[in-house]
Amino acid sequence: MTRFAMPHSPVPSAHLDAADLLASDLVHSYGRTADTPPALAGVSVRIAVGESVAVMGPSGSGKTTLLHVLAGIVRPTSGAVHWRGHDLSRLSDRSRAALRRKDFGFVFQSGQLLPELPAEENAALPLMLAGMPRPDAVRRVRAILDGLGLQGLRERRPGELSGGQAQRVAIARALATTPGVVFADEPTGALDQQTGAAVMGQLVAATRAHGASLIVVTHDPGVAGFCERILVMRDGRLVSEHHRGTTR
Amino acid sequence: MTTLTPTVRLWWHLGRRADDGARLITLLPVLAFAVASACLLIAVSGLVAVDGRRVGGLVDGPGESDPAALYTILAALAVGLMAVPILTLGGVAARLMVSRRNHRLAQLRLAGATTGQATLMTVLETTSQALAGAGLGTAAYLASLPLLARIPFLGSHLQVHELWVGPVVLLTSIAALATLAALSGLVSMATVAITPLGVTNRVTPARLSLLRVGATGLLMAAWVAVSGGMGQVGIGVLAAALVAAVASINLIGPWALMVFGRMVARLSRRPATMLAARRIVDDPRSAWRTTSTMALGILLATLATVTDGIETEPGDKLPYLAEDMGTGALVTLGIVSVIAATSAGVVQAARVLDQAPQYRALAYAGTDLATLHRARTLEVGLPLLITMGLTLGFSLLLFAALASFVGTGMLVRFAVAVGLSVALLFAGLTASRGLLRSAAALD
């Protein structure tokens, strides 16, 4: 476990679990020139099983880049991301895609649902992509959709749903494969405050009920307040950490 | 005038400020207009060449009545048949342009632009792109003249000067495309003009009417009754039947696609099949527009096959008619194949551009590109199956009287012609693969 020592981390490395998502000393640069500041400048973080974590910070602080690197969407320039015995930064694109399909769920601000598919097929899509036949996949997501209060709306298309309902379908889709971690990037950014709070509450509750960890990138303290831990970033670094009710 | 100048200036300014993505969106309709224009001019040039030879006495003997008028009628028929997919392609281009602009125009309306200003900008935009496409199409037509002159006709090659349509036809075709674009722009503007927030959402599509099936049944019954009463089927009657078949197939085609799409979507087990089927059900008319051109192509390939089997007798007034009909049908097949391929490529490219955020979200979730490519291929392949099934059925019904002339060699030629046409269609689709790759790119 000590091999995951995090020199820049504000997070203690004690009580590591093999099922945790663990990032060590992540550096990532988009720029081609040496004087371009890195989007991530040595970030280390551990997300425990079933934990909900919000990542906050001003625009350009590196929140979304951190989410993409943790999820294996982007390979970091240096550093490592460990998940269930794999170092994501060393896996091929194909292996990372397969891992994302199997182990991770995603919720974005909006626009991720395919407009031609009814809600239940949109939610069932990850299961089908993993090889499950359509009837079985649809049957499985119906319970999740119902749990999110979408009874009677399963046959509707995204264009026939409100913003909050569409985000609930996106949550159902993210949870369909029983992922280990759900990554959410500004999941309530396109919703009004009241709907956003309701959706966020359901996202946290449903993720916990499925035993998954949750990582939410947001600029909204109200949204972050739903999570057990809040990480604050600035200039590509984690600058502070707050647990619900405490500050460090 | 006071409104006109700032509107034109704003339109020009916005055009200059377009980014790469917006430029690509502009290029797609221009490409479609260019192909439509070139195909229209090539089709008309065939008619002009045939009519010129008839008037010049190359077909007809002196003192005879005018059996060669049949040549002109058949050439005009070919142009008429091709006009439908050509204008459809022009319509696809115009719709594509306007749908991509609706959002921006809605924003302009919100920013205070009047309905008149937004309409004027739309018309300027669609017309200018149609004119650019027509210009390119005219250049392509001129460049293709030496190639067209290699086609054998009436026992000798056509001459380049025979295929020259003249300035009047040239300008008329350009004006026709520009008018089509302007009208499409005006019609499509209705949603934006009614309300500044006229953003369309995808909703459960309405079922197409069963009346389509009834009307097709009536047309088929009429053909069976008429052809059954005739001892010998003349070429003119066959040509009329061809027109009726095209009309019938276009009536029933979208309905058949809708039913087939619903069935496949319900029974599908794999995501690519489900996605493709749902997209077909979402807009069966649009799916049909791409493959309906292939229906015409297959009917023409059938015509070319059966006419090849007709033997001329000594002293026949039109000794080359059967051979020339076969050649004409193959040339027409070539043109409609290019139109179908362009339509498939442009429609699919536009869809990728429209759905780039969804493709990226799927890629984030680990969807491999092969699944997305497979869905797009099936989206064209499934309607094509229905189209081929329907068209072959109609062909059997139409040309059954001539079936005894058809030999194995002709069937092979038929299969090759249709196979090449289908290959061209998928080549058009493949051309947009790069766009999908960049739309689903993660970095």
Side-chain angles (χ1 to χ4, degrees):
Chain A
M1 294 299 177
T2 49
R3 69 180 189 274
F4 298 141
M6 295 174 285
H8 305 288
S9 173
V11 183
S13 59
H15 312 301
L16 281 179
D17 189 307
D20 291 350
L21 177 68
L22 184 66
S24 22
D25 208 16
L26 294 175
V27 175
H28 189 69
S29 299
Y30 291 110
R32 300 272 182 268
T33 54
D35 57 344
T36 310
L40 294 179
V43 175
S44 298
V45 65
R46 174 171 61 84
I47 313 291
V49 177
E51 187 184 20
S52 56
V53 177
V55 183
M56 295 191 70
S59 293
S61 59
K63 319 184 283 290
T64 297
T65 302
L66 176 63
L67 183 120
H68 285 185
V69 170
L70 290 176
I73 292 168
V74 173
R75 199 196 300 268
T77 308
S78 67
V81 178
H82 289 272
W83 168 250
R84 292 183 177 171
H86 300 286
D87 179 354
L88 268 56
S89 60
R90 291 179 181 222
L91 293 178
S92 65
D93 286 349
R94 185 184 286 266
S95 302
R96 280 186 286 131
L99 194 130
R100 288 200 302 275
R101 215 160 44 226
K102 191 166 64 74
D103 286 0
F104 297 157
F106 296 88
V107 181
F108 301 104
Q109 185 171 327
S110 61
Q112 62 190 309
L113 300 179
L114 289 167
E116 306 90 344
L117 300 186
E120 63 181 12
E121 286 178 2
N122 255 304
L125 201 55
L127 289 172
M128 293 180 71
L129 288 166
M132 187 180 284
R134 180 187 166 279
D136 299 338
V138 167
R139 207 173 301 125
R140 190 153 144 188
V141 295
R142 278 180 185 160
I144 307 176
L145 288 167
D146 290 354
L148 289 164
L150 294 170
Q151 303 96 322
L153 303 177
R154 296 189 304 223
E155 297 284 339
R156 290 205 190 169
R157 289 154 178 258
E160 296 166 315
L161 297 170
S162 69
Q165 288 164 343
Q167 280 307 75
R168 288 187 185 99
V169 176
I171 293 169
R173 179 202 267 196
L175 293 170
T177 53
T178 325
V181 185
V182 172
F183 295 91
D185 193 352
E186 301 282 6
T188 61
L191 305 176
D192 63 79
Q193 203 171 11
Q194 195 179 352
T195 311
V199 166
M200 194 57 207
Q202 285 186 309
L203 174 61
V204 172
T207 308
R208 190 179 297 130
H210 281 75
S213 308
L214 174 66
I215 302 174
V216 182
V217 163
T218 181
H219 65 277
D220 182 348
V223 168
F226 280 88
C227 297
E228 294 159 354
R229 187 153 57 110
I230 300 170
L231 305 175
V232 180
M233 291 189 72
R234 185 164 298 131
D235 300 329
R237 295 175 190 278
L238 290 178
V239 291
S240 64
E241 178 190 359
H242 313 263
H243 284 267
R244 200 183 278 160
T246 62
T247 303
R248 265 194 283 170
Chain B
M1 201 63 182
T2 48
T3 313
L4 191 68
T5 313
T7 308
V8 173
R9 208 177 290 145
L10 182 61
W11 163 71
W12 181 251
H13 174 72
L14 288 173
R16 282 165 56 90
R17 302 283 292 179
D19 59 14
D20 286 348
R23 282 204 187 90
L24 185 60
I25 291 158
T26 306
L27 278 179
L28 287 173
V30 170
L31 172 73
F33 276 125
V35 172
S37 166
C39 289
L40 184 65
L41 287 170
I42 289 169
V44 174
S45 76
L47 173 62
V48 168
V50 167
D51 199 49
R53 284 200 168 188
R54 182 175 72 88
V55 172
L58 283 168
V59 178
D60 200 359
E64 297 280 347
S65 62
D66 195 6
L70 185 59
Y71 264 90
T72 306
I73 292 169
L74 290 173
L77 177 70
V79 173
L81 287 173
M82 277 188 283
V84 177
I86 289 170
L87 292 178
T88 304
L89 180 60
V92 164
R95 262 191 301 276
L96 171 63
M97 232 161 15
V98 176
S99 72
R100 300 294 309 175
R101 293 287 180 263
N102 265 1
H103 183 63
R104 200 183 71 184
L105 287 170
Q107 285 174 329
L108 280 171
R109 287 268 287 133
L110 286 169
T114 63
T115 304
Q117 285 174 316
T119 305
L120 179 61
M121 284 179 68
T122 304
V123 171
L124 280 172
E125 195 143 343
T126 51
T127 310
S128 65
Q129 291 183 9
L131 286 173
L136 285 172
T138 303
Y141 154 69
L142 292 173
S144 70
L145 283 178
L147 197 70
L148 293 170
R150 297 176 68 87
I151 296 171
F153 197 67
L154 286 163
S156 65
H157 291 296
L158 290 166
Q159 301 297 311
V160 168
H161 69 85
E162 289 178 292
L163 290 158
W164 168 239
V165 294
V168 174
V169 172
L170 206 66
L171 291 174
T172 307
S173 77
I174 293 172
L177 275 182
T179 308
L180 173 75
L183 286 176
S184 291
L186 282 174
V187 170
S188 305
M189 261 301 290
T191 51
V192 179
I194 290 164
T195 159
L197 294 171
V199 180
T200 52
N201 274 329
R202 285 273 178 61
V203 294
T204 305
R207 280 175 169 271
L208 294 177
S209 170
L210 260 174
L211 281 176
R212 288 169 174 270
V213 184
T216 308
L218 278 178
L219 271 170
M220 284 168 67
W223 165 249
V224 171
V226 170
S227 64
M230 291 184 298
Q232 200 176 2
V233 179
I235 284 176
V237 176
L238 267 182
L242 190 70
V243 175
V246 170
S248 304
I249 291 173
N250 277 298
L251 262 176
I252 200 172
W255 183 87
L257 273 187
M258 179 195 71
V259 173
F260 182 67
R262 281 175 190 268
M263 205 168 66
V264 173
R266 213 167 294 133
L267 297 175
S268 62
R269 297 176 72 82
R270 299 286 161 237
T273 320
M274 183 182 78
L275 268 174
R278 284 292 178 203
R279 282 178 179 166
I280 292 165
V281 175
D282 192 51
D283 193 355
R285 286 193 192 90
S286 166
W288 178 252
R289 269 195 287 274
T290 299
T291 52
S292 63
T293 310
M294 289 301 296
L296 177 59
I298 293 166
L299 278 171
L300 289 167
T302 314
L303 185 66
T305 306
V306 295
T307 52
D308 210 31
I310 301 172
E311 287 177 12
T312 50
E313 289 166 10
D316 205 323
K317 285 175 186 165
L318 298 170
Y320 296 108
L321 180 61
E323 189 184 326
D324 288 342
M325 272 185 75
T327 307
L330 282 178
V331 171
T332 313
L333 171 64
I335 293 172
V336 297
S337 301
V338 170
I339 294 169
T342 309
S343 182
V346 166
V347 167
Q348 286 295 322
R351 194 190 284 280
V352 170
L353 290 170
D354 271 338
Q355 298 200 342
Q358 286 86 4
Y359 280 127
R360 198 163 299 124
L362 284 173
Y364 282 165
T367 309
D368 54 355
L369 216 53
T371 302
L372 300 178
H373 283 313
R374 210 174 303 127
R376 280 161 19 91
T377 306
L378 284 169
E379 198 181 329
V380 176
L382 292 175
L384 189 62
L385 270 181
I386 290 291
T387 306
M388 290 180 87
L390 274 176
T391 314
L392 288 173
F394 273 90
S395 297
L396 279 176
L397 190 72
L398 276 180
F399 302 117
L402 294 170
S404 56
F405 297 115
V406 178
T408 312
M410 293 178 209
L411 284 177
V412 170
R413 202 180 312 164
F414 169 80
V416 169
V418 173
L420 284 174
S421 189
V422 170
L424 195 61
L425 178 74
F426 281 102
L429 179 66
T430 308
S432 58
R433 280 174 81 101
L435 271 181
L436 178 62
R437 207 176 302 125
S438 57
L442 297 180
D443 290 319

